[in-house]
Amino acid sequence: MRIFQHVQDIGDLHVALAEAQEVKRDRYQWQHLGKNKTALLIFFNNSLRTRLSTQKAAMNLGMNVIVLDVNQGAWKLETERGVVMDGDKSEHLLEAIPVMASYCDIIGVRSFARFESREDDYEEKILQQFIQYSGRPVFFMESATVHPLQAFADLITIKEDWKGKTRPKVVMTWAPHPKSLPQAVPNSFAEWMLAADVDFVVTHPKGYELDPQFVKGARVEYDQMKAFEGADFVYAKNWSCPGVTHPEDYGKVLHDYHTMMDWCVSARQMAVTNNAGFLHCLPVRRNMIVTDDVIESPRSLVIPEAANREISAQVVLKRMLEAL
Ligand code: CP
């Protein structure tokens, strides 16, 4: 594997899920693969889970790990070509990428949507430059449009909880948030659920329709309570307007969140499910996205879900090491 961005990059999902369980059984059995190999993890944005779980996964494989927080201690990077660099940015990404690549074998990058241009975000302008100019395998640690390490961990968690029974109903619900959040997590979750053997439903208020490249084929239900009926898993997440029908609204919060609090996942909605497991990628704002009682309930899967981030990252790094 040279690039990890979309669900297709992991190949057959049954094989990938079986490999995840093999990693879980003994995560240290491939230490020879990472000997004298270095992973460079580059963060343009904050992280708790991605940083720790990916670092741990690389160490499980015997790799050396370098973590760089671009905005804390490194030179501020210009990302546009043609700019007269007379401002606060001292280095251009086009030099920085090959320099960073010269110190490592595999690169992971986190670079969120900037909401300055829908086109730039959806073309993955930053990550594409890493792919083009690094000459190294590149895996996405949440980009402008996707968070595949999260979606893979989500699928592992659903599979483990569901224990091989027939097609579960998985509902992804929008929930309120005071700030503008990217669409990377819901995009990837939709992409991965549509590729998996599940009955997938998306529910959100009108105006938050996700980009068809990720949700094509998914059932969209605007009535949240109706969507929750009989659900086996509920995945909550906020996202800002994807700007599919109104590009001028891209990245906006369309309603005052105080008027949308009915969408916060509570015992009221969970009562109509099939004792659904509750998932969220974390970090989560309690009593905005989900109530205390739901996230603390025995059916809350958020902690095993976060723990599975180590496993998804290890499968991806292992595949990349095997292909070096
Ligand atoms: N879920 C997730 O990616 O968490 P972090 O932002 O803390 O890495």
Side-chain angles (χ1 to χ4, degrees):
M1 185 195 290
R2 292 286 300 179
I3 308 293
F4 182 61
Q5 176 177 5
H6 293 295
V7 66
Q8 305 91 282
D9 298 325
I10 202 81
D12 186 305
L13 283 180
H14 296 289
V15 174
L17 287 165
E19 199 169 330
Q21 292 311 315
E22 175 70 14
V23 167
K24 268 198 168 175
R25 273 189 288 278
D26 177 8
R27 59 197 74 189
Y28 305 108
Q29 62 181 297
W30 297 279
Q31 292 245 325
H32 59 282
L33 281 179
K35 189 174 160 56
N36 297 333
K37 297 284 186 287
T38 299
L40 173 57
L41 311 182
I42 301 168
F43 290 88
F44 286 83
N45 309 94
N46 294 340
S47 167
L48 186 151
R49 277 145 292 274
T50 305
R51 172 188 305 264
L52 298 180
S53 62
T54 312
Q55 199 166 341
K56 176 69 165 53
M59 293 189 302
N60 293 348
L61 290 162
M63 300 186 82
N64 301 309
V65 188
I66 305 172
V67 180
L68 177 69
D69 288 294
V70 172
N71 296 320
Q72 291 166 25
W75 302 111
K76 218 167 170 189
L77 293 176
E78 177 58 62
T79 56
E80 294 297 319
R81 252 187 108 253
V83 170
V84 177
M85 289 174 56
D86 57 356
D88 62 341
K89 293 170 180 164
S90 309
E91 178 150 25
H92 203 286
L93 201 57
L94 291 178
E95 284 78 57
I97 290 173
V99 169
M100 293 188 284
S102 73
Y103 307 137
C104 67
D105 301 281
I106 295 174
I107 299 181
V109 184
R110 165 164 286 200
S111 179
F112 290 172
R114 298 181 172 195
F115 294 138
E116 288 162 8
S117 150
R118 186 181 197 280
E119 204 179 343
D120 286 357
D121 285 345
Y122 271 72
E123 282 176 4
E124 293 289 3
K125 214 168 166 183
I126 304 296
L127 266 292
Q128 285 306 329
Q129 292 189 72
F130 276 91
I131 291 169
Q132 194 173 348
Y133 299 115
S134 71
R136 298 282 181 266
V138 174
F139 62 100
F140 287 45
M141 299 197 298
E142 188 171 344
S143 67
T145 65
V146 290
H147 196 359
L149 289 171
Q150 181 65 52
F152 186 15
D154 298 335
L155 181 61
I156 295 168
T157 311
I158 287 170
K159 172 90 176 161
E160 286 174 344
D161 190 77
W162 196 241
K163 298 183 175 75
K165 285 184 264 175
T166 52
R167 252 174 114 75
K169 178 177 178 183
V170 178
V171 177
M172 178 169 76
T173 182
W174 181 94
H177 197 281
K179 293 187 174 167
S180 218
L181 295 190
Q183 295 104 40
V185 168
N187 283 345
S188 279
F189 188 71
E191 188 184 59
W192 284 66
M193 287 304 113
L194 287 167
D197 197 16
V198 306
D199 173 19
F200 183 55
V201 181
V202 187
T203 182
H204 56 74
K206 287 202 167 147
Y208 288 99
E209 289 76 15
L210 291 162
D211 195 293
Q213 70 174 292
F214 298 105
V215 292
K216 197 161 176 252
R219 185 147 54 97
V220 178
E221 171 56 66
Y222 292 107
D223 180 336
Q224 191 194 35
M225 284 301 281
K226 211 167 153 192
F228 272 51
E229 281 170 13
D232 299 300
F233 294 94
V234 167
Y235 194 89
K237 185 71 184 83
N238 171 270
W239 61 90
S240 62
C241 176
V244 171
T245 46
H246 296 286
E248 68 279 10
D249 286 339
Y250 173 61
K252 286 186 186 164
V253 176
L254 297 177
H255 315 92
D256 178 345
Y257 70 83
H258 295 97
T259 67
M260 304 303 287
M261 293 307 287
D262 269 4
W263 283 80
C264 174
V265 177
S266 68
R268 178 178 64 88
Q269 294 102 322
M270 295 304 279
V272 301
T273 69
N274 182 26
N275 192 28
F278 175 82
L279 296 112
H280 186 281
C281 61
L282 304 181
V284 69
R285 290 184 184 235
R286 283 177 173 224
N287 305 306
M288 287 288 312
I289 302 282
V290 57
T291 56
D292 291 320
D293 55 329
V294 171
I295 198 166
E296 290 170 6
S297 79
R299 292 300 291 140
S300 174
L301 301 174
V302 297
I303 305 303
E305 181 184 5
N308 278 332
R309 290 293 307 275
E310 179 183 338
I311 306 304
S312 63
Q314 187 165 338
V315 172
V316 169
L317 283 168
K318 175 176 166 289
R319 297 253 185 119
M320 287 188 159
L321 286 169
E322 285 165 346
L324 279 180

